[in-house]
Amino acid sequence: MFYHLCYSLLDVNIFQYITFRAGGAILTSLTVCFLIAPYIIRTLKKYKISQTIRNDGPKTHQLKAGTTTMGGVIIIISMLVSTLLWARLDNPFILWLIAATIFFGMIGFFDDYLKLVKRNPKGLSAKKKLFFQSLFAVFIIAYLYFNPTNALYATSLNIPYFKTNFIEMSFLYFILIFFVIVGSSNAVNLTDGLDGLAIGNIIIAAVTLAIFSYLIGNANTSAYLKVAHVLGAGEIAVFLMALFGAGLGFLWYNTYPAEIFMGDTGSLCLGGLLGITAVFIKQELILFILGGIFVAEALSVMIQVSVFRRTGKRFFRMAPLHHHFELGGLAETKVTIRFWIIGIILAIIAIGSLKLR
């Protein structure tokens, strides 16, 4: 909105710069988060929208019973307000990301609503969640089929760290990006089990993908770095910085001991957004590196279920992976901070792919 009003209509030149608007997006989403969070927390407490703690989990988690949840609403509102103010609303990537925020947010919201308000412990069934996640992924695939982000590499996969860094995959590429979007949404959802764990790593991923988006959206830097140029991708950085600010504000209330959890409203939404962003800028494999914590959490659940079905024994003390370390004697805060540190290391490795060929 500011771009269209201040630059297009009033010719205020500074609003054309992505870096300026990205900075504005951070401060705006952070401010909105601080303004609305106390009210939303009080409202959710009033209606007793609180977390139910599983009995077979770490004993220390029983102290979390009654903590307000569905806090993803705070992140989504802050992020959308900031995006609408600072991003170019004629950019198709921004429009898709806004739509994805609302769509994935609604999936998580209905799941939380059924579990916490209607007291249905199963919430939205796994099949229904997967169906709606898949539906939006198919919409994205259809859009990219007719409007590839880079026509030269429309169905090619970028292979980081190698000089010859594109592999033509034909129709298999669309199957891959389907799993990237759906898998990312669910992997972040599984990671959201400790105070500050998921949102901390989301913040790290958002900043890193913003750097990629900005560089890939610039024809000169993308040519120099030998990555596929995506026209208009720089604007995604504004959206991701709005996510960064909203995430930072939410972490203020979500850090140990958490005043509020994000719930599926936040985790399903934010995970989906990371996956869609990686697809738009053609950095699908980078997301696997950058989101290594999310990947490890999801794999730990898959391994645990597979081994238990075959042998009747557990491979991990408990899944997802963060609970395994908790039951091994590590304090929750130590697990969370160590996972953040790993996330930062993975982000550095991911950024290194821009020069290491």
Side-chain angles (χ1 to χ4, degrees):
M1 184 181 295
F2 286 153
Y3 173 87
H4 302 286
L5 176 64
C6 297
Y7 178 61
S8 299
L9 295 179
L10 302 178
D11 199 28
V12 181
N13 199 46
I14 197 170
F15 282 88
Q16 73 172 305
Y17 296 109
I18 290 172
T19 48
F20 174 76
R21 289 185 287 111
I26 295 172
L27 295 176
T28 301
S29 57
L30 185 61
T31 301
V32 172
C33 187
F34 283 147
L35 289 174
I36 67 173
Y39 171 77
I40 290 177
I41 291 171
R42 286 197 304 269
T43 302
L44 292 172
K45 282 183 178 179
K46 177 181 176 181
Y47 291 99
K48 299 180 180 179
I49 310 300
S50 57
Q51 185 71 40
T52 301
I53 305 300
R54 52 197 283 191
N55 293 323
D56 60 342
K59 300 302 181 183
T60 54
H61 282 225
Q62 296 306 314
L63 298 174
K64 300 175 185 287
T67 302
T68 306
T69 189
M70 208 184 282
V73 172
I74 299 170
I75 303 171
I76 290 171
I77 293 174
S78 304
M79 183 169 53
L80 287 179
V81 169
S82 182
T83 299
L84 292 171
L85 289 175
W86 292 100
R88 289 186 58 172
L89 302 180
D90 58 352
N91 183 294
F93 298 129
I94 294 298
L95 296 177
W96 272 110
L97 288 168
I98 290 173
T101 302
I102 296 169
F103 192 90
F104 279 88
M106 291 301 293
I107 297 172
F109 178 85
F110 280 119
D111 187 36
D112 284 336
Y113 178 80
L114 290 173
K115 287 188 289 190
L116 304 170
V117 178
K118 293 299 183 180
R119 303 300 174 184
N120 178 353
K122 294 183 179 179
L124 196 64
S125 70
K127 288 183 179 180
K128 288 181 180 177
K129 280 192 282 190
L130 185 59
F131 170 77
F132 289 116
Q133 289 169 320
S134 300
L135 181 64
F136 199 88
V138 170
F139 288 154
I140 294 287
I141 289 169
Y143 172 76
L144 293 176
Y145 178 81
F146 292 106
N147 303 276
T149 57
N150 184 308
L152 185 61
Y153 302 108
T155 55
S156 297
L157 177 67
N158 177 50
I159 309 298
Y161 308 107
F162 290 90
K163 186 170 288 188
T164 306
N165 57 348
F166 289 98
I167 294 180
E168 174 58 39
M169 296 186 67
S170 187
F171 72 93
L172 292 176
Y173 176 74
F174 297 109
I175 297 175
L176 172 68
I177 63 177
F178 172 87
F179 284 107
V180 169
I181 295 170
V182 175
S184 180
S185 178
N186 287 300
V188 172
N189 183 236
L190 291 170
T191 306
D192 185 29
L194 301 181
D195 297 357
L197 175 59
I199 194 62
N201 280 283
I202 287 167
I203 288 170
I204 295 165
V207 172
T208 308
L209 288 174
I211 293 170
F212 273 89
S213 299
Y214 181 75
L215 296 174
I216 287 169
N218 185 294
N220 294 326
T221 56
S222 59
Y224 172 72
L225 295 170
K226 294 183 174 60
V227 292
H229 171 57
V230 177
L231 183 65
E235 202 65 25
I236 296 174
V238 179
F239 177 87
L240 290 172
M241 287 298 94
L243 169 54
F244 167 70
L248 205 60
F250 182 76
L251 183 59
W252 183 275
Y253 301 95
N254 184 237
T255 192
Y256 183 88
E259 296 176 54
I260 189 169
F261 302 137
M262 73 167 71
D264 287 0
T265 305
S267 59
L268 288 176
C269 172
L270 300 182
L273 291 175
L274 294 181
I276 292 168
T277 298
V279 167
F280 280 160
I281 63 175
K282 299 193 71 65
Q283 295 295 321
E284 298 87 1
L285 293 185
I286 283 296
L287 183 61
F288 281 95
I289 298 168
L290 172 62
I293 290 295
F294 303 130
V295 173
E297 295 275 27
L299 285 176
S300 71
V301 173
M302 295 167 65
I303 292 169
Q304 185 86 321
V305 171
S306 177
V307 170
F308 188 79
R309 285 178 176 175
R310 291 185 179 185
T311 66
K313 297 180 180 179
R314 295 181 178 183
F315 186 84
F316 299 102
R317 299 183 187 95
M318 187 178 180
L321 188 61
H322 53 262
H323 289 320
H324 171 79
F325 291 110
E326 273 194 290
L327 292 177
L330 286 180
E332 176 179 349
T333 50
K334 182 162 285 190
V335 175
T336 297
I337 292 172
R338 285 183 175 177
F339 275 35
W340 287 352
I341 293 170
I342 294 171
I344 292 169
I345 293 170
L346 292 173
I348 294 169
I349 293 171
I351 293 172
S353 71
L354 291 169
K355 285 297 291 177
L356 183 61
R357 299 288 179 186

